[in-house]
Amino acid sequence: MNKTLMVSALSAALLLTGCQSVNTTSGGAVGVERKQYMFSMLSTAEVNQMYAQSYQKTMGEASAQGALDKTSTDAKRIQVIADRLIAKAPVFRPDSAQWKWEVNLIKSDELNANCGPGGKIMFYTGLIDQLKLTDAEIAAIMGHEIAHALREHGREAMSKAYGIEMAKQGAGALFGLGQDSLALADTVANYGMTLPNSRGNENEADLIGLELAARAGYDPNAAITLWNKMAKASEGAPPEFMSTHPSSSSRIASLQAAIPKVMPLYQQAKK
């Protein structure tokens, strides 16, 4: 076996060492059922606590700079939307009802939003202002970000990174590889394992977020108008193969295929 391929195989083997199979979410009409593996030494509670500390630091810095918006009409909008989405999160993950959820609006031109481990949400005014977002489109973005937290994609990425680092250190000792070979092995591991899974995580977040928004009473078709707006705002983005995000066309196609599954949930939801 080629030495680089041996390193890649070892990466996969070591990734499973000390890992446990978990089912972070259950239920749902969209059928996200991929088995996940997490390092047992990285517990949900520990990752949530680590992120909560980082989140509070970021909020403190934003407040000191006058960038933390607590009182505007948009700040109230995102709080209402978040509350409706959070109320439906236990459908996918019952323990999320005990999370210490937070949502904050940051004054910034960035087209960005995030929901970190444990339900810490950041939304940027640039998204609302530049894309002229409706409430349903805000719900589509926020639902997507909440889905990342429900599926613990952050903890999963940390587990994967730890496994690759273990493999890199162990492989060098076992096979006497130089830095060039290890760098090549890193590239193989990155493009052959990390990026495809990251695109898979994005697809999972799209689907769960779509259903979450529908259950909360937001029109799932808003996900299509949202990503059309994002595509126009992101002209010149890297090709899909080299990106951690699906291309706009494939993302929209996947969402369109899933909308009929969640439309009855939207029609039944309280508006």
Side-chain angles (χ1 to χ4, degrees):
M1 181 185 291
N2 178 285
K3 284 186 177 182
T4 300
L5 294 179
M6 291 175 75
V7 173
S8 299
L10 185 61
S11 296
L14 286 179
L15 182 58
L16 299 180
T17 304
C19 277
Q20 56 185 345
S21 174
V22 297
N23 185 17
T24 56
T25 58
S26 60
V30 292
V32 174
E33 299 175 351
R34 178 179 62 88
K35 185 178 292 186
Q36 296 170 280
Y37 291 92
M38 310 283 190
F39 269 98
S40 56
M41 66 186 69
L42 293 170
S43 72
T44 297
E46 288 169 335
V47 173
N48 288 358
Q49 183 178 11
M50 283 189 292
Y51 189 81
Q53 292 172 348
S54 175
Y55 182 84
Q56 293 306 324
K57 180 180 179 182
T58 299
M59 293 305 103
E61 292 171 350
S63 180
Q65 296 167 5
L68 187 60
D69 183 348
K70 289 283 193 179
T71 60
S72 72
T73 300
D74 282 337
K76 294 173 183 176
R77 280 177 76 198
I78 67 162
Q79 186 65 63
V80 169
I81 294 167
D83 287 345
R84 286 172 60 173
L85 294 170
I86 291 165
K88 299 300 180 182
V91 171
F92 299 94
R93 184 167 180 146
D95 69 325
S96 67
Q98 281 73 54
W99 286 2
K100 296 179 180 179
W101 293 87
E102 290 186 51
V103 57
N104 281 290
L105 182 64
I106 307 296
K107 298 175 185 177
S108 170
D109 291 336
E110 287 186 57
L111 300 181
N112 200 7
N114 176 264
C115 179
K120 307 300 186 190
I121 301 169
M122 284 186 280
F123 213 91
Y124 292 75
T125 57
L127 272 173
I128 300 172
D129 296 339
Q130 295 184 46
L131 300 186
K132 309 299 181 186
L133 296 182
T134 65
D135 285 2
E137 289 168 342
I138 291 174
I141 294 177
M142 199 176 292
H144 172 97
E145 296 303 326
I146 288 173
H148 279 305
L150 295 175
R151 285 289 286 171
E152 290 195 77
H153 286 152
R155 181 180 167 218
E156 188 176 19
M158 290 172 67
S159 294
K160 183 180 296 182
Y162 186 79
I164 292 173
E165 185 64 23
M166 285 175 58
K168 183 170 66 175
Q169 294 177 4
L174 284 174
F175 302 120
L177 300 180
Q179 290 300 312
D180 290 344
S181 295
L182 286 175
L184 180 58
D186 283 346
T187 301
V188 170
N190 187 35
Y191 288 102
M193 186 162 65
T194 306
L195 290 184
N197 285 344
S198 294
R199 290 199 297 268
N201 288 355
E202 285 295 311
N203 185 61
E204 289 180 356
D206 277 351
L207 295 178
I208 292 176
L210 184 76
E211 180 172 344
L212 185 62
R215 287 181 179 275
Y218 294 103
D219 186 352
N221 288 295
I224 306 303
T225 60
L226 165 69
W227 290 110
N228 278 324
K229 288 181 178 180
M230 289 291 283
K232 291 180 181 179
S234 304
E235 291 180 358
E240 180 173 1
F241 177 73
M242 297 293 287
S243 173
T244 59
H245 292 257
S247 69
S248 296
S249 59
S250 63
R251 165 170 259 152
I252 289 171
S254 177
L255 287 165
Q256 286 175 325
I259 285 175
K261 299 178 183 178
V262 304
M263 186 57 73
L265 300 171
Y266 165 65
Q267 293 168 341
Q268 295 163 13
K270 292 182 180 180
K271 307 299 191 292

Coordinates of all heavy atoms in Angstrom, one line a residue, residues 44-132:
T44 N -21.1 16.5 25.2 CA -22.0 17.6 24.8 C -21.9 18.8 25.8 O -21.8 19.9 25.4 CB -23.5 17.1 24.7 OG1 -23.5 16.1 23.7 CG2 -24.4 18.2 24.4
A45 N -22.0 18.5 27.1 CA -22.0 19.5 28.1 C -20.7 20.3 28.1 O -20.7 21.5 28.2 CB -22.2 18.9 29.5
E46 N -19.5 19.6 27.9 CA -18.2 20.3 27.8 C -18.2 21.2 26.6 O -17.7 22.4 26.7 CB -17.1 19.3 27.8 CG -16.9 18.6 29.1 CD -16.0 17.4 29.0 OE1 -15.8 16.8 27.9 OE2 -15.4 17.0 30.1
V47 N -18.6 20.7 25.5 CA -18.5 21.6 24.2 C -19.5 22.8 24.4 O -19.1 23.9 24.0 CB -18.9 20.7 23.0 CG1 -19.0 21.6 21.8 CG2 -17.8 19.7 22.8
N48 N -20.7 22.5 24.9 CA -21.6 23.6 25.1 C -21.1 24.7 26.0 O -21.2 25.9 25.8 CB -22.9 23.1 25.7 CG -23.7 22.3 24.7 OD1 -23.4 22.2 23.5 ND2 -24.9 21.8 25.1
Q49 N -20.4 24.3 27.1 CA -19.8 25.2 28.1 C -18.7 26.0 27.4 O -18.6 27.2 27.6 CB -19.3 24.5 29.3 CG -18.7 25.4 30.4 CD -18.3 24.6 31.6 OE1 -18.2 23.4 31.6 NE2 -18.0 25.4 32.7
M50 N -17.8 25.3 26.7 CA -16.7 26.0 26.0 C -17.3 27.1 25.1 O -16.8 28.2 25.0 CB -15.9 25.0 25.2 CG -14.9 24.2 26.1 SD -13.7 23.2 25.1 CE -14.8 22.0 24.3
Y51 N -18.3 26.7 24.3 CA -18.8 27.7 23.3 C -19.5 28.8 24.1 O -19.5 30.0 23.6 CB -19.8 27.0 22.4 CG -20.2 28.0 21.3 CD1 -19.3 28.2 20.2 CD2 -21.3 28.7 21.3 CE1 -19.6 29.1 19.2 CE2 -21.7 29.6 20.3 CZ -20.8 29.8 19.3 OH -21.1 30.8 18.3
A52 N -20.2 28.5 25.2 CA -20.9 29.6 25.9 C -20.0 30.6 26.4 O -20.3 31.8 26.3 CB -21.7 29.0 27.1
Q53 N -18.8 30.2 26.8 CA -17.8 31.2 27.3 C -17.3 32.0 26.1 O -17.1 33.3 26.3 CB -16.6 30.4 27.9 CG -16.9 29.7 29.2 CD -15.8 28.8 29.7 OE1 -14.9 28.5 29.0 NE2 -15.9 28.4 31.0
S54 N -17.1 31.4 25.0 CA -16.6 32.2 23.8 C -17.7 33.1 23.3 O -17.4 34.3 23.0 CB -16.3 31.2 22.7 OG -16.0 31.9 21.5
Y55 N -19.0 32.7 23.4 CA -20.1 33.5 23.0 C -20.2 34.7 23.9 O -20.4 35.8 23.4 CB -21.4 32.6 23.0 CG -22.6 33.3 22.6 CD1 -23.0 33.4 21.2 CD2 -23.5 33.9 23.5 CE1 -24.2 34.0 20.8 CE2 -24.7 34.5 23.1 CZ -25.0 34.5 21.8 OH -26.2 35.1 21.3
Q56 N -20.1 34.5 25.2 CA -20.3 35.7 26.1 C -19.1 36.7 25.9 O -19.4 37.9 26.0 CB -20.3 35.2 27.5 CG -21.5 34.4 27.9 CD -22.8 35.1 27.6 OE1 -22.9 36.3 27.8 NE2 -23.8 34.3 27.2
K57 N -17.9 36.2 25.6 CA -16.8 37.1 25.3 C -17.1 37.9 24.0 O -16.9 39.1 24.0 CB -15.5 36.3 25.1 CG -14.3 37.2 24.8 CD -13.1 36.3 24.6 CE -11.9 37.2 24.3 NZ -10.6 36.4 24.0
T58 N -17.6 37.3 23.0 CA -18.0 38.0 21.7 C -19.1 39.0 22.0 O -19.0 40.1 21.5 CB -18.4 36.9 20.7 OG1 -17.4 36.0 20.4 CG2 -18.8 37.7 19.4
M59 N -20.1 38.6 22.8 CA -21.2 39.6 23.1 C -20.6 40.8 23.9 O -21.1 41.9 23.7 CB -22.3 38.9 23.8 CG -23.1 37.8 23.0 SD -23.8 38.4 21.5 CE -22.6 37.7 20.3
G60 N -19.7 40.5 24.8 CA -19.1 41.6 25.6 C -18.4 42.5 24.7 O -18.5 43.8 24.9
E61 N -17.6 42.0 23.8 CA -16.8 42.9 22.9 C -17.8 43.7 22.0 O -17.5 44.9 21.7 CB -15.9 42.0 22.0 CG -14.8 41.3 22.8 CD -14.0 40.3 22.0 OE1 -14.4 40.0 20.9 OE2 -12.9 39.9 22.5
A62 N -18.8 43.0 21.5 CA -19.8 43.7 20.6 C -20.5 44.9 21.4 O -20.7 46.0 20.9 CB -20.8 42.8 20.1
S63 N -20.8 44.6 22.7 CA -21.4 45.6 23.5 C -20.5 46.8 23.7 O -20.9 47.9 23.7 CB -21.9 45.0 24.8 OG -22.5 45.9 25.7
A64 N -19.2 46.5 24.0 CA -18.3 47.5 24.3 C -18.1 48.4 23.0 O -17.8 49.6 23.2 CB -16.9 46.9 24.7
Q65 N -18.2 47.9 21.9 CA -18.1 48.6 20.6 C -19.4 49.3 20.1 O -19.4 49.9 19.1 CB -17.6 47.6 19.5 CG -16.2 47.1 19.8 CD -15.8 45.9 18.9 OE1 -16.6 45.6 18.0 NE2 -14.7 45.3 19.1
G66 N -20.4 49.1 20.9 CA -21.7 49.6 20.5 C -22.4 48.9 19.4 O -23.3 49.5 18.7
A67 N -22.0 47.6 19.2 CA -22.5 46.9 18.0 C -23.6 45.9 18.4 O -24.1 45.2 17.6 CB -21.3 46.1 17.3
L68 N -23.9 45.8 19.7 CA -24.9 44.8 20.2 C -26.2 45.5 20.2 O -26.5 46.5 20.9 CB -24.5 44.3 21.6 CG -25.4 43.2 22.1 CD1 -25.3 42.0 21.2 CD2 -24.9 42.8 23.6
D69 N -27.1 45.1 19.3 CA -28.5 45.7 19.2 C -29.5 44.9 20.0 O -29.8 43.8 19.6 CB -28.8 45.7 17.7 CG -30.1 46.4 17.4 OD1 -30.9 46.7 18.3 OD2 -30.4 46.7 16.2
K70 N -30.0 45.6 21.0 CA -31.0 44.9 21.9 C -32.4 45.5 21.7 O -33.4 44.9 22.2 CB -30.6 45.0 23.3 CG -29.4 44.2 23.7 CD -29.8 42.7 23.9 CE -28.7 41.9 24.6 NZ -29.1 40.5 24.7
T71 N -32.5 46.7 21.1 CA -33.8 47.4 21.2 C -34.4 47.8 19.9 O -35.6 48.2 19.9 CB -33.5 48.8 21.9 OG1 -32.5 49.5 21.2 CG2 -33.0 48.5 23.3
S72 N -33.8 47.6 18.8 CA -34.4 48.0 17.5 C -35.5 47.1 17.1 O -35.7 46.0 17.7 CB -33.3 47.9 16.4 OG -33.0 46.6 16.0
T73 N -36.2 47.5 16.1 CA -37.3 46.7 15.5 C -36.8 45.3 15.0 O -37.4 44.3 15.3 CB -38.0 47.4 14.4 OG1 -38.6 48.6 14.9 CG2 -39.2 46.6 13.8
D74 N -35.7 45.3 14.4 CA -35.1 44.1 13.9 C -34.7 43.2 15.0 O -34.8 41.9 14.9 CB -33.9 44.3 13.0 CG -34.3 44.8 11.6 OD1 -35.5 44.4 11.2 OD2 -33.5 45.4 10.9
A75 N -34.1 43.7 16.1 CA -33.8 42.9 17.3 C -35.0 42.2 17.8 O -34.9 41.0 18.2 CB -33.1 43.8 18.3
K76 N -36.1 42.9 17.9 CA -37.3 42.3 18.4 C -37.9 41.3 17.4 O -38.4 40.2 17.8 CB -38.4 43.4 18.6 CG -38.0 44.4 19.7 CD -39.0 45.6 19.8 CE -38.5 46.5 20.9 NZ -39.4 47.7 21.0
R77 N -37.7 41.5 16.1 CA -38.1 40.6 15.1 C -37.4 39.2 15.2 O -38.0 38.2 15.3 CB -37.8 41.1 13.7 CG -38.8 42.1 13.1 CD -38.3 42.5 11.7 NE -38.5 41.5 10.7 CZ -37.8 41.5 9.5 NH1 -36.9 42.5 9.2 NH2 -38.1 40.6 8.6
I78 N -36.1 39.3 15.4 CA -35.3 38.0 15.4 C -35.6 37.3 16.7 O -35.5 36.1 16.8 CB -33.8 38.2 15.2 CG1 -33.2 39.0 16.3 CG2 -33.5 38.9 13.8 CD1 -31.6 38.8 16.4
Q79 N -35.9 38.0 17.8 CA -36.2 37.4 19.1 C -37.6 36.6 18.9 O -37.7 35.4 19.4 CB -36.3 38.4 20.2 CG -36.6 37.8 21.6 CD -35.4 36.9 22.0 OE1 -34.3 37.5 22.2 NE2 -35.6 35.6 22.2
V80 N -38.5 37.2 18.3 CA -39.8 36.6 18.1 C -39.7 35.3 17.2 O -40.2 34.2 17.5 CB -40.9 37.5 17.5 CG1 -42.1 36.8 17.0 CG2 -41.2 38.6 18.5
I81 N -38.9 35.5 16.1 CA -38.7 34.3 15.2 C -37.9 33.2 15.9 O -38.3 32.0 15.8 CB -37.9 34.8 14.0 CG1 -38.8 35.8 13.2 CG2 -37.5 33.6 13.1 CD1 -38.1 36.6 12.1
A82 N -36.9 33.6 16.7 CA -36.1 32.6 17.4 C -37.0 31.8 18.4 O -36.9 30.6 18.5 CB -34.9 33.3 18.1
D83 N -37.8 32.6 19.1 CA -38.7 31.9 20.1 C -39.6 30.9 19.5 O -39.8 29.8 20.0 CB -39.5 33.0 20.8 CG -38.7 33.8 21.8 OD1 -37.6 33.4 22.1 OD2 -39.2 34.9 22.2
R84 N -40.1 31.2 18.3 CA -41.0 30.2 17.6 C -40.2 29.0 17.2 O -40.7 27.9 17.3 CB -41.7 30.9 16.5 CG -42.8 31.9 16.9 CD -43.4 32.7 15.8 NE -44.0 31.9 14.7 CZ -44.6 32.4 13.6 NH1 -44.8 33.7 13.6 NH2 -45.1 31.6 12.7
L85 N -39.0 29.2 16.7 CA -38.2 28.1 16.2 C -37.7 27.2 17.4 O -37.8 26.0 17.3 CB -37.0 28.6 15.4 CG -37.3 29.3 14.1 CD1 -36.0 30.0 13.6 CD2 -37.8 28.3 13.1
I86 N -37.3 27.9 18.4 CA -36.8 27.2 19.6 C -37.9 26.3 20.2 O -37.6 25.2 20.7 CB -36.2 28.2 20.7 CG1 -35.0 28.8 20.1 CG2 -36.0 27.5 22.0 CD1 -34.5 30.1 20.9
A87 N -39.1 26.8 20.2 CA -40.2 26.0 20.8 C -40.4 24.7 20.0 O -41.0 23.7 20.6 CB -41.5 26.8 20.7
K88 N -40.0 24.6 18.8 CA -40.2 23.4 18.0 C -38.9 22.5 18.0 O -38.9 21.4 17.5 CB -40.6 23.7 16.6 CG -41.9 24.5 16.5 CD -43.0 23.7 17.0 CE -44.3 24.4 16.9 NZ -45.5 23.7 17.5
A89 N -37.8 23.0 18.5 CA -36.5 22.2 18.5 C -36.6 20.9 19.2 O -36.0 19.9 18.7 CB -35.4 23.1 19.1
P90 N -37.4 20.8 20.3 CA -37.5 19.5 21.0 C -38.1 18.4 20.2 O -38.0 17.2 20.5 CB -38.3 19.8 22.2 CG -38.0 21.2 22.5 CD -38.0 21.9 21.1
V91 N -38.8 18.7 19.1 CA -39.3 17.7 18.2 C -38.1 16.8 17.7 O -38.3 15.6 17.5 CB -40.0 18.3 17.0 CG1 -40.4 17.3 15.9 CG2 -41.3 19.0 17.5
F92 N -37.0 17.5 17.4 CA -35.9 16.8 16.9 C -34.9 16.3 18.0 O -34.2 15.3 17.9 CB -35.1 17.7 15.9 CG -35.8 18.1 14.7 CD1 -36.5 19.3 14.8 CD2 -35.9 17.3 13.6 CE1 -37.2 19.8 13.7 CE2 -36.6 17.7 12.5 CZ -37.3 19.0 12.5
R93 N -34.9 17.1 19.1 CA -34.0 16.8 20.2 C -34.6 17.2 21.5 O -34.5 18.4 21.9 CB -32.7 17.6 19.9 CG -31.6 17.3 20.9 CD -30.3 17.7 20.5 NE -29.3 17.4 21.6 CZ -28.1 17.1 21.4 NH1 -27.6 17.0 20.1 NH2 -27.3 16.8 22.4
P94 N -35.2 16.3 22.2 CA -35.9 16.7 23.5 C -35.1 17.4 24.5 O -35.6 18.3 25.2 CB -36.3 15.3 24.0 CG -36.5 14.4 22.8 CD -35.4 14.9 21.9
D95 N -33.8 17.1 24.6 CA -33.0 17.8 25.6 C -32.7 19.2 25.3 O -32.3 20.0 26.2 CB -31.7 17.0 25.9 CG -30.7 17.1 24.7 OD1 -31.2 17.2 23.6 OD2 -29.5 17.2 24.9
S96 N -33.0 19.7 24.1 CA -32.8 21.1 23.7 C -33.8 22.0 24.5 O -33.5 23.2 24.6 CB -32.9 21.3 22.2 OG -34.3 21.1 21.8
A97 N -34.8 21.4 25.1 CA -35.7 22.2 25.9 C -35.1 22.7 27.1 O -35.5 23.7 27.7 CB -37.0 21.4 26.2
Q98 N -34.0 22.1 27.5 CA -33.2 22.5 28.7 C -32.0 23.4 28.4 O -31.3 23.8 29.3 CB -32.8 21.3 29.6 CG -33.9 20.7 30.4 CD -34.9 19.9 29.6 OE1 -34.5 19.0 28.8 NE2 -36.1 20.2 29.8
W99 N -31.8 23.6 27.1 CA -30.6 24.4 26.8 C -30.9 25.9 27.2 O -32.0 26.3 27.2 CB -30.4 24.4 25.2 CG -29.8 23.1 24.7 CD1 -29.5 22.0 25.4 CD2 -29.5 22.9 23.4 NE1 -29.0 21.1 24.6 CE2 -29.0 21.5 23.3 CE3 -29.6 23.6 22.2 CZ2 -28.5 20.9 22.1 CZ3 -29.1 23.0 21.0 CH2 -28.6 21.7 21.0
K100 N -29.8 26.6 27.4 CA -29.9 28.0 27.8 C -29.7 28.8 26.5 O -28.7 29.4 26.2 CB -28.8 28.4 28.8 CG -28.9 27.6 30.1 CD -27.8 28.0 31.1 CE -28.0 27.3 32.5 NZ -26.9 27.6 33.4
W101 N -30.8 28.9 25.8 CA -30.8 29.6 24.5 C -30.6 31.1 24.6 O -31.1 31.7 25.6 CB -32.2 29.3 23.8 CG -32.4 27.9 23.4 CD1 -33.0 26.9 24.1 CD2 -32.2 27.3 22.1 NE1 -33.1 25.8 23.4 CE2 -32.6 26.0 22.2 CE3 -31.6 27.8 20.9 CZ2 -32.5 25.1 21.1 CZ3 -31.5 27.0 19.8 CH2 -31.9 25.6 19.9
E102 N -29.9 31.6 23.7 CA -29.8 33.1 23.6 C -29.8 33.5 22.1 O -29.3 32.8 21.3 CB -28.4 33.6 24.2 CG -28.3 33.4 25.7 CD -27.0 34.0 26.2 OE1 -26.7 35.2 25.9 OE2 -26.3 33.3 27.0
V103 N -30.3 34.7 21.9 CA -30.2 35.2 20.5 C -29.9 36.7 20.6 O -30.4 37.4 21.4 CB -31.6 35.1 19.7 CG1 -32.7 35.7 20.5 CG2 -31.5 35.6 18.3
N104 N -28.9 37.1 19.8 CA -28.4 38.5 19.8 C -28.2 39.0 18.3 O -27.8 38.2 17.5 CB -27.1 38.6 20.6 CG -27.4 38.7 22.1 OD1 -27.9 39.6 22.6 ND2 -27.0 37.6 22.7
L105 N -28.5 40.2 18.1 CA -28.3 40.9 16.8 C -27.1 41.8 16.9 O -26.9 42.6 17.8 CB -29.6 41.7 16.5 CG -29.5 42.4 15.1 CD1 -29.5 41.4 14.0 CD2 -30.7 43.3 14.9
I106 N -26.2 41.6 15.9 CA -24.9 42.3 15.9 C -25.0 43.3 14.7 O -25.3 42.9 13.6 CB -23.7 41.4 15.7 CG1 -23.7 40.3 16.7 CG2 -22.4 42.2 15.6 CD1 -23.5 40.8 18.1
K107 N -24.7 44.5 15.0 CA -24.6 45.6 13.9 C -23.3 45.3 13.1 O -22.2 45.6 13.5 CB -24.6 47.0 14.5 CG -25.9 47.3 15.3 CD -25.7 48.7 15.9 CE -26.9 49.0 16.8 NZ -26.7 50.3 17.5
S108 N -23.5 44.8 11.9 CA -22.3 44.5 11.0 C -22.8 44.4 9.6 O -24.0 43.9 9.4 CB -21.6 43.2 11.5 OG -20.7 42.8 10.5
D109 N -22.0 44.7 8.6 CA -22.4 44.5 7.2 C -22.2 43.1 6.8 O -22.5 42.8 5.6 CB -21.5 45.5 6.4 CG -21.8 46.9 6.5 OD1 -23.0 47.2 7.0 OD2 -21.0 47.8 6.3
E110 N -21.6 42.2 7.6 CA -21.4 40.8 7.2 C -22.7 40.1 6.9 O -23.7 40.4 7.6 CB -20.8 40.1 8.4 CG -19.3 40.4 8.6 CD -18.7 39.5 9.7 OE1 -18.8 38.2 9.5 OE2 -18.2 40.0 10.7
L111 N -22.7 39.3 5.9 CA -23.8 38.4 5.6 C -23.6 37.1 6.3 O -23.1 36.1 5.8 CB -23.9 38.1 4.0 CG -24.1 39.4 3.1 CD1 -24.1 38.9 1.7 CD2 -25.3 40.1 3.5
N112 N -24.0 37.2 7.6 CA -23.6 36.0 8.4 C -24.6 35.8 9.6 O -25.3 36.7 10.0 CB -22.2 36.3 9.1 CG -21.5 35.0 9.5 OD1 -22.0 33.9 9.3 ND2 -20.4 35.2 10.2
A113 N -24.7 34.6 10.0 CA -25.5 34.2 11.2 C -24.9 32.9 11.7 O -24.2 32.2 11.0 CB -26.9 34.0 10.8
N114 N -25.2 32.6 13.0 CA -24.6 31.4 13.6 C -25.4 31.0 14.8 O -26.0 31.8 15.4 CB -23.2 31.7 14.0 CG -22.5 30.5 14.7 OD1 -22.5 30.5 16.0 ND2 -22.0 29.6 14.0
C115 N -25.5 29.7 15.0 CA -26.1 29.1 16.2 C -25.1 28.1 16.7 O -24.9 27.0 16.1 CB -27.4 28.5 16.0 SG -28.1 27.8 17.6
G116 N -24.3 28.4 17.8 CA -23.3 27.5 18.3 C -23.9 26.5 19.2 O -25.1 26.5 19.5
P117 N -23.0 25.6 19.6 CA -23.4 24.5 20.6 C -24.2 25.1 21.8 O -23.8 26.1 22.3 CB -22.1 23.9 21.0 CG -21.2 24.1 19.8 CD -21.6 25.5 19.3
G118 N -25.3 24.4 22.1 CA -26.1 24.8 23.3 C -27.1 25.9 23.0 O -27.8 26.3 23.9
G119 N -27.2 26.3 21.7 CA -28.3 27.2 21.4 C -27.9 28.7 21.5 O -28.8 29.5 21.8
K120 N -26.7 29.1 21.2 CA -26.2 30.5 21.3 C -26.3 31.1 19.9 O -25.4 30.7 19.0 CB -24.8 30.6 21.9 CG -24.7 29.9 23.2 CD -25.6 30.4 24.3 CE -25.2 29.8 25.6 NZ -26.2 30.2 26.7
I121 N -27.3 31.9 19.6 CA -27.5 32.4 18.3 C -27.0 33.9 18.1 O -27.2 34.7 18.9 CB -29.0 32.4 18.0 CG1 -29.6 31.0 18.1 CG2 -29.3 33.0 16.6 CD1 -31.1 31.0 18.1
M122 N -26.3 34.1 17.0 CA -25.8 35.4 16.5 C -26.4 35.7 15.2 O -26.3 34.8 14.3 CB -24.3 35.5 16.5 CG -23.6 35.6 17.8 SD -21.8 35.9 17.6 CE -21.3 34.3 17.2
F123 N -27.0 36.8 15.0 CA -27.5 37.2 13.7 C -26.9 38.6 13.4 O -26.8 39.4 14.2 CB -29.0 37.3 13.7 CG -29.7 36.9 12.4 CD1 -30.0 35.6 12.1 CD2 -30.0 37.9 11.4 CE1 -30.6 35.2 10.9 CE2 -30.6 37.5 10.2 CZ -30.9 36.2 10.0
Y124 N -26.6 38.8 12.1 CA -25.9 40.1 11.7 C -26.9 40.9 10.9 O -27.6 40.5 10.0 CB -24.7 39.8 10.9 CG -23.6 39.2 11.7 CD1 -23.6 37.8 12.1 CD2 -22.5 39.9 12.1 CE1 -22.6 37.2 12.8 CE2 -21.5 39.4 12.9 CZ -21.5 38.0 13.2 OH -20.5 37.4 14.0
T125 N -26.9 42.2 11.2 CA -27.8 43.2 10.5 C -27.6 43.2 9.0 O -28.5 43.5 8.2 CB -27.7 44.6 11.1 OG1 -26.3 45.0 10.9 CG2 -28.1 44.6 12.5
G126 N -26.3 42.9 8.6 CA -26.0 42.9 7.1 C -26.9 42.0 6.3 O -27.3 42.3 5.2
L127 N -27.3 40.8 6.9 CA -28.2 39.9 6.2 C -29.5 40.5 6.0 O -30.1 40.4 4.9 CB -28.3 38.6 7.1 CG -27.3 37.5 6.9 CD1 -27.5 36.4 7.9 CD2 -27.4 36.9 5.5
I128 N -30.1 41.1 7.1 CA -31.4 41.7 7.0 C -31.4 42.9 6.0 O -32.3 43.0 5.2 CB -31.9 42.1 8.4 CG1 -31.9 40.9 9.3 CG2 -33.3 42.8 8.3 CD1 -32.2 41.2 10.8
D129 N -30.5 43.8 6.2 CA -30.5 45.0 5.4 C -30.1 44.8 4.0 O -30.8 45.3 3.1 CB -29.5 46.0 6.0 CG -29.9 46.4 7.4 OD1 -31.0 46.3 7.8 OD2 -29.0 46.9 8.2
Q130 N -29.1 44.0 3.7 CA -28.6 43.9 2.3 C -29.5 43.0 1.5 O -29.7 43.2 0.3 CB -27.2 43.4 2.3 CG -26.2 44.4 2.8 CD -24.8 43.9 2.7 OE1 -24.3 43.5 1.6 NE2 -24.0 44.1 3.8
L131 N -30.1 41.9 2.1 CA -30.9 41.0 1.4 C -32.4 41.3 1.5 O -33.2 40.6 1.0 CB -30.6 39.6 1.9 CG -29.2 39.1 1.7 CD1 -29.1 37.6 2.1 CD2 -28.7 39.3 0.3
K132 N -32.7 42.3 2.3 CA -34.1 42.7 2.5 C -35.0 41.5 2.9 O -36.0 41.1 2.3 CB -34.7 43.3 1.2 CG -33.9 44.5 0.6 CD -33.7 45.6 1.6 CE -32.9 46.8 1.0 NZ -32.6 47.8 2.0

